[in-house]
Amino acid sequence: MRHLLSMEGVERAVIEGLLDDGDEFLEVLDRPIPKVPTLRGKTVATMFFEPSTRTRLSFEKAAKSLSADTMSFSPGTSSLSKGESLKDTVLTIQAMGVDLMVVRHAATGAPWRVADWVDVPVVNGGDGAHQHPTQALLDALTIRQRFTTLDGVRVGIVGDIRHSRVARSNVWAFAALGAEVTLVAPPTLLPLDATTWPAATTSDLDDVLTELDAVYLLRVQKERGGASVFPSLAEYTARFGMTVERFNRLKPDAVVLHPGPMNRGVEISARVADDPRALVLDQVRNGVAVRMAVLYQLLGGERDE
Amino acid sequence: MNDLILEGGLVLTPDGPVTADVFVRDGIVAGLGESLGSDEATVLDCRGAWVGPGFVDVHTHLREPGEEWKEDIGSGSEAAAAGGYTAVLAMPNTDPPIDAGHLARYVADRGSEVGLVTVIPAGCVTAGRAGERLSHLDELWMAGVRVFTDDGDSVADAGLLRRAMDYLAQLGGIVAQHAIDAGLARGGHMHEGDVSSRLGMAAIPAEAESTVVARDLALVRLTGCRYHIQHVSASQTVALIAAAKAEGLPVTAEVTPHHLAFDHRVVESTDPVFKMMPPLRSPEDREALVVALRDGVIDMVATDHAPHADHEKDVPFEHAPHGVIGLEWAGAVVNTQVGLEPVAFYERLSIAPAALLGASGQGRWIEPGAPATMTVFDPEADALDHARSRSRNTPHLGRGLRGRARHTLLQGTLTHSATIVPHPS
Amino acid sequence: MERADIARALRRIAHEIMERNHGAGDIVLVGIHTRGVPLARRLADAIGEIESVEVPLGSLDIGLYRDDLASRPAPVLGHTAMPVGIDGRTIVLVDDVLFTGRTIRAALDALVDFGRPARVQLAVLVDRGHRELPIRADYVGKNLPTSFKERVTVHLEETDREEGVWIEKRAEVAL
């Protein structure tokens, strides 16, 4: 693995290898000194051309727990506002001496372009509505911790699938690991064409609710309510929200996940969010561990095979 | 002017292909026959190649005036000659746009100065391509403009288009429509389908094209104006064209090499070289375009040669400008991807586009008395392996295309030769 | 070495550990991945037979402490587990072969991230010499004088489904 750009087409063994390493890094994070010297002398640059505090912090924590140095780039304070091209920006940062770049960008495919331009490994930290592979890894790890495997686990991904890079990453990762994935959304938020996705689709959450082992709630982008993709937030909550009533109808061991930040009272009720079966904080913790796994794998030497 | 002998090619005459030598004197085809050897004449080896009328492109962006860092009339003419073209229709979306007579004359005059291809200016339908009021249609007509288009944008206002059609119908002009509905296309970067869905990219449905064409055909019926559909991309548009032709409407259509060569699956790479307008569509659409070109429902190939500098294309897909260059490889794409017989090949690349433009001295089968404006095309040769345009935004390199122009002649002057003229750079 | 030799050596080491530390009271056995882990378990069993105590057993993967990550693929991580706090305890690191000493250096680094042991001792099944660091073993099953170009292979039932120690010639040197 030279870069980590997408979950689409990544083989099960590769994903499982990263999750296995993620488990080991969770142990590292539990140590009295939660830090190992593995990447001493390496520099990881987080290049976030689209603001995101939590994902950047998670990558930086992962890098530091492996003793790598971090550099961060954010567009607000950068030369982008002076008209510098993306290419010149990343080449400039590379020339300062970095060993790996994490790239987040609002434009689909931007991390692929960066990977073409630079000589170091690139991790996609989220591009457009396309991919966010480390999110998929942390979510897969979180579900695996609960069920020991994803084989046969029924996962419903609920919400704005159409505009979600989280959904586009998770669907491939979950399916590769053997889960049965159902996408649940109003028709205007389902993918325009999901014929080639490894998932079923429905617009009726209540129809599938009791069969699910894990319910993955996507964040409702409140501003989209105004773009008339669904009539109102209240209607969304009524049909697709994880209310206490719906939560009580889930299988007894079913779990709820959310990539954050949550809109309490919209896609998830506050009481569900605070329930032990809501794994939101596990996801955050696992996020650091799988990102350590990714950095560890990508910064190891080239494999000969 | 030296006499020329084009030796041993398959010559496309009004009566069909014959293997013969072609004797050229004073810019005119002076004779056809065997062993026309002459001590003074320059002999061009045409064995294994087709000798037919020069290619005519009805859709070229030469970028002059205003965007000469991408291309100018000199570099564009060179690319055209290298691709086997002897005439090009220069699109008017320059800066300033060609919406008045003096601007059209400038483009034509610059083309003559360069002298490698006949540069025919197209004019805007609306002033400044702003879609608000008609351009100086009369003045443009007087300057020799026959094709009117706001290419780069559709003429969206049906009332305005109707007035343009009324006006041009009476003059005998042609409206060429870049048929893409701005509303349906808004924010889109690629074809709407399973690939855009997986990429999460905002997309442009095929209906963005077909709805405009359907509306325009009603206006053609109303006004009787000649109507040309640029860069057809969707099978549903092909169906509309077939029906319009069956009805007898004065309609023609073009397809680009890239829409014949690729479908939207290549966009999965998010490589901006595959970003164009209209977008590459589904495999079924591509197949329909190939069939329509074979059957003649689509009359001609047009390159939509759209140069962009490296720094403009070397950005994320969504930030890149639309367009690819194509003059150098149109013949090779048609030869490789469509596989036409020589007669049909020259009909689509020369005869039909020349007829659309009414370009004198272009698009004539080879016979004594015809102008020596010819393209010798070698269908077995490897395609040109580098761009001759000032820009390099092409998806056609390195794909094993076969066929290239061995010699290009404009009124008896060799404007390109793969075997004689050394590479200019 | 054959199966019986290995068993004998481990029994002897178990006795030595007890003797040197006046019983098993403070001892934590920590096996270094991969084959140190089953060896540590066997030592724990042997000590248990002698004194009927259960010696705490840990495992340590030193992959994250290697000094050569950039020059080789990231190794698959083994499981690290410290069953008890190690502050003030006597840690006996257990590995199969002591060679250059770099693995033990990494293990010592790893260990101090878990706390501050009173002392650290080292038990190995085979010491083959060629140290590159100032490290020595406290308990050795067998000293095997080797040339640098030879390879020492230890196979254990738990990891390899066979048991024995072999010396092989090899063409190129790889750690």
Side-chain angles (χ1 to χ4, degrees):
Chain A
M1 193 166 60
R2 167 111 178 96
H3 306 286
L4 178 64
L5 298 174
S6 175
M7 274 293 127
E8 200 177 323
V10 180
E11 284 171 24
R12 177 176 186 143
V14 172
I15 300 174
E16 284 180 337
L18 287 166
L19 299 188
D20 290 347
D21 283 356
D23 271 332
E24 300 306 329
F25 284 116
L26 280 173
E27 181 274 318
V28 170
L29 293 171
D30 269 338
R31 294 180 189 178
I33 299 175
K35 182 166 179 157
V36 286
T38 318
L39 299 184
R40 215 167 33 168
K42 304 281 187 187
T43 301
V44 171
T46 54
M47 316 269 297
F48 278 50
F49 298 92
E50 183 187 72
S52 157
T53 308
R54 58 173 61 212
T55 303
R56 195 178 70 222
L57 288 176
S58 178
F59 270 109
E60 289 179 357
K61 167 73 173 159
K64 287 172 175 162
S65 297
L66 289 165
S67 300
D69 295 318
T70 60
M71 284 167 51
S72 76
F73 171 95
S74 50
T77 56
S78 78
S79 48
L80 281 189
S81 49
K82 297 173 190 160
E84 187 178 53
S85 72
L86 178 63
K87 181 174 183 174
D88 286 329
T89 302
V90 298
L91 290 179
T92 300
I93 302 287
Q94 173 173 260
M96 291 176 189
V98 304
D99 299 288
L100 182 144
M101 287 189 193
V102 181
V103 177
R104 168 170 289 199
H105 201 290
T108 295
W112 276 257
R113 304 261 64 213
V114 174
D116 280 348
W117 296 325
V118 302
D119 301 321
V120 299
V122 174
V123 176
N124 184 356
D127 67 317
H130 181 208
Q131 284 286 323
H132 190 0
T134 58
Q135 178 76 40
L137 292 172
L138 74 90
D139 290 329
L141 183 60
T142 306
I143 296 173
R144 197 176 77 164
Q145 282 166 349
R146 276 300 163 124
F147 299 103
T148 66
T149 175
L150 268 76
D151 259 318
V153 171
R154 302 200 55 171
V155 185
I157 302 178
V158 185
D160 187 355
I161 315 284
R162 186 178 292 185
H163 304 99
S164 172
R165 55 187 167 218
V166 174
R168 278 186 183 77
S169 304
N170 284 7
V171 76
W172 295 103
F174 293 172
L177 294 171
E180 293 173 35
V181 184
T182 304
L183 308 174
V184 188
T188 47
L189 295 181
L190 280 173
L192 274 163
D193 181 342
T195 48
T196 56
W197 297 39
T201 57
T202 178
S203 290
D204 189 345
L205 176 59
D206 292 315
D207 189 41
V208 295
L209 190 67
T210 55
E211 299 160 15
L212 298 176
D213 300 303
V215 185
Y216 196 102
L217 303 166
L218 296 171
R219 174 180 165 75
V220 170
Q221 294 177 283
K222 288 183 179 174
E223 61 276 13
R224 292 208 192 278
S228 66
V229 290
F230 51 83
S232 71
L233 286 176
E235 276 191 43
Y236 181 88
T237 304
R239 288 194 56 199
F240 299 96
M242 185 50 68
T243 58
V244 171
E245 185 273 328
R246 281 203 181 90
F247 186 68
N248 289 335
R249 279 165 51 212
L250 289 173
K251 286 185 189 173
D253 61 344
V255 293
V256 173
L257 295 91
H258 191 295
M262 292 185 282
N263 294 304
R264 286 173 183 249
V266 182
E267 68 268 6
I268 184 166
S269 95
R271 275 161 61 193
V272 173
D274 295 331
D275 191 279
R277 281 156 60 206
L279 306 181
V280 180
L281 297 178
D282 292 4
Q283 290 172 269
V284 174
R285 181 166 183 74
N286 289 336
V288 177
V290 297
R291 288 178 178 120
M292 288 172 79
V294 168
L295 299 179
Y296 173 66
Q297 287 283 340
L298 291 180
L299 287 171
E302 292 290 329
R303 274 159 209 265
D304 303 332
E305 315 96 307
Chain B
M1 191 182 281
N2 245 358
D3 293 345
L4 291 171
I5 293 171
L6 285 67
E7 194 177 72
L10 184 73
V11 182
L12 290 144
T13 75
D15 302 319
V18 292
T19 300
D21 296 350
V22 181
F23 185 63
V24 174
R25 169 164 286 174
D26 298 330
I28 303 290
V29 175
L32 259 62
E34 281 175 39
S35 309
L36 293 175
S38 142
D39 290 344
E40 276 100 77
T42 302
V43 175
L44 301 177
D45 181 5
C46 299
R47 281 169 295 184
W50 304 335
V51 181
F55 299 166
V56 176
D57 188 28
V58 299
H59 201 137
T60 309
H61 295 277
L62 293 173
R63 304 295 191 207
E64 185 181 343
E67 293 183 307
E68 288 84 354
W69 68 88
K70 298 172 192 260
E71 191 84 285
D72 63 23
I73 290 171
S75 62
S77 295
E78 216 176 272
Y85 284 91
T86 55
V88 299
L89 182 70
M91 288 295 109
N93 61 335
T94 48
D95 183 14
I98 310 303
D99 61 357
H102 67 284
L103 294 165
R105 283 195 189 88
Y106 168 80
V107 171
D109 290 350
R110 280 286 296 129
S112 302
E113 267 171 49
V114 173
L116 290 172
V117 290
T118 301
V119 176
I120 302 167
C124 298
V125 177
T126 70
R129 298 177 56 250
E132 288 164 4
R133 58 191 173 81
L134 295 180
S135 66
H136 300 280
L137 297 178
D138 262 326
E139 211 183 284
L140 288 163
W141 180 266
M142 298 294 285
V145 172
R146 295 295 174 267
V147 176
F148 296 81
T149 176
D150 277 3
D151 184 46
D153 291 297
S154 271
V155 180
D157 183 327
L160 193 61
L161 181 64
R162 188 242 174 126
R163 285 205 295 286
M165 284 182 162
D166 276 337
Y167 207 92
L168 292 171
Q170 177 232 342
L171 290 173
I174 299 156
V175 167
Q177 180 74 295
H178 166 103
I180 295 166
D181 181 80
L184 284 170
R186 187 167 297 130
H189 301 282
M190 64 176 296
H191 174 60
E192 181 178 301
D194 60 313
V195 178
S196 72
S197 179
R198 277 210 306 285
L199 288 173
M201 194 124 67
I204 304 166
E207 285 76 7
E209 175 176 278
S210 60
T211 55
V212 172
V213 170
R215 178 202 71 172
D216 289 1
L217 289 172
L219 296 178
V220 171
R221 207 173 284 121
L222 179 67
T223 62
C225 183
R226 289 174 67 190
Y227 178 69
H228 177 73
I229 303 155
Q230 298 179 299
H231 42 53
V232 175
S233 67
S235 64
Q236 48 187 267
T237 310
V238 171
L240 291 170
I241 297 165
K245 287 188 165 182
E247 186 187 337
L249 295 179
V251 171
T252 52
E254 68 184 39
V255 62
T256 72
H258 41 278
H259 287 101
L260 292 170
F262 301 102
D263 63 61
H264 66 154
R265 288 172 299 181
V266 296
V267 182
E268 288 201 53
S269 66
T270 67
D271 184 339
V273 80
F274 295 113
K275 185 171 181 182
M276 57 269 296
M277 189 67 94
L280 298 171
R281 298 208 183 271
S282 71
E284 296 74 27
D285 286 316
R286 189 194 74 85
E287 186 54 34
L289 296 174
V290 168
V291 171
L293 185 67
R294 280 200 196 114
D295 295 350
V297 172
I298 292 177
D299 305 83
M300 64 196 79
V301 173
T303 64
D304 197 0
H305 180 85
H308 293 292
D310 287 357
H311 71 269
E312 295 167 307
K313 274 289 199 182
D314 215 0
V315 296
F317 191 90
E318 294 176 21
H319 297 174
H322 301 286
V324 300
I325 60 171
L327 284 167
E328 294 97 322
W329 302 280
V333 170
V334 174
N335 182 53
T336 311
Q337 309 273 157
V338 186
L340 297 175
E341 293 302 306
V343 172
F345 180 82
Y346 280 94
E347 277 174 348
R348 306 292 185 269
L349 281 157
S350 173
I351 306 289
L356 178 76
L357 301 180
S360 64
Q362 300 278 345
R364 295 260 313 263
W365 297 114
I366 310 306
E367 61 181 326
T373 295
M374 299 189 283
T375 295
V376 178
F377 187 81
D378 180 349
E380 300 300 333
D382 291 339
L384 194 65
D385 63 358
H386 61 282
R388 296 292 287 271
S389 162
R390 177 161 295 154
S391 294
R392 304 187 292 188
N393 52 311
T394 174
H396 296 306
L397 290 176
R399 292 183 178 267
L401 292 179
R402 277 175 297 101
R404 65 173 295 187
R406 191 185 290 177
H407 309 291
T408 310
L409 283 83
L410 179 64
Q411 290 155 23
T413 301
L414 203 55
T415 55
H416 157 78
S417 173
T419 55
I420 292 181
V421 181
H423 192 289
S425 63
Chain C
M1 284 173 97
E2 293 179 4
R3 188 181 299 268
D5 303 324
I6 294 174
R8 219 167 12 249
L10 289 174
R11 258 197 315 277
R12 178 170 51 75
I13 291 174
H15 279 287
E16 287 174 12
I17 290 173
M18 306 281 292
E19 203 173 304
R20 167 125 28 134
N21 297 296
H22 312 292
D26 281 343
I27 290 176
V28 179
L29 289 167
V30 175
I32 298 172
H33 270 280
T34 304
R35 292 183 186 81
V37 175
L39 289 176
R41 177 164 299 112
R42 292 189 197 183
L43 281 174
D45 291 346
I47 292 171
E49 277 173 28
I50 299 163
E51 206 171 71
S52 23
V53 290
E54 199 161 314
V55 182
L57 201 54
S59 63
L60 200 56
D61 183 285
I62 55 92
L64 300 173
Y65 292 81
R66 300 186 72 103
D67 55 11
D68 59 355
L69 179 66
S71 60
R72 50 194 294 162
V76 173
L77 296 178
H79 189 57
T80 295
M82 286 298 153
V84 291
I86 63 172
D87 284 2
R89 307 290 292 254
T90 295
I91 305 298
V92 180
L93 286 172
V94 183
D95 204 0
D96 52 354
V97 180
L98 178 59
F99 183 24
T100 62
R102 289 180 189 273
T103 300
I104 305 306
R105 193 281 306 160
L108 290 169
D109 281 356
L111 213 50
V112 298
D113 285 351
F114 286 88
R116 188 174 183 283
R119 62 191 65 78
V120 181
Q121 300 170 350
L122 173 62
V124 297
L125 185 62
V126 174
D127 182 348
R128 60 166 295 195
H130 304 287
R131 215 76 75 240
E132 293 170 1
L133 295 171
I135 281 169
R136 64 167 180 78
D138 301 273
Y139 314 101
V140 178
K142 188 174 179 63
N143 282 298
L144 269 184
T146 57
S147 110
F148 196 80
K149 288 190 172 176
E150 287 166 326
R151 177 203 297 271
V152 174
T153 304
V154 173
H155 278 182
L156 300 174
E157 204 63 57
E158 295 93 325
T159 49
D160 311 288
R161 280 184 251 145
E162 60 174 348
E163 188 105 353
V165 178
W166 296 271
I167 301 177
E168 300 163 47
K169 300 273 183 216
R170 56 180 170 176
E172 52 182 313
V173 176
L175 184 65

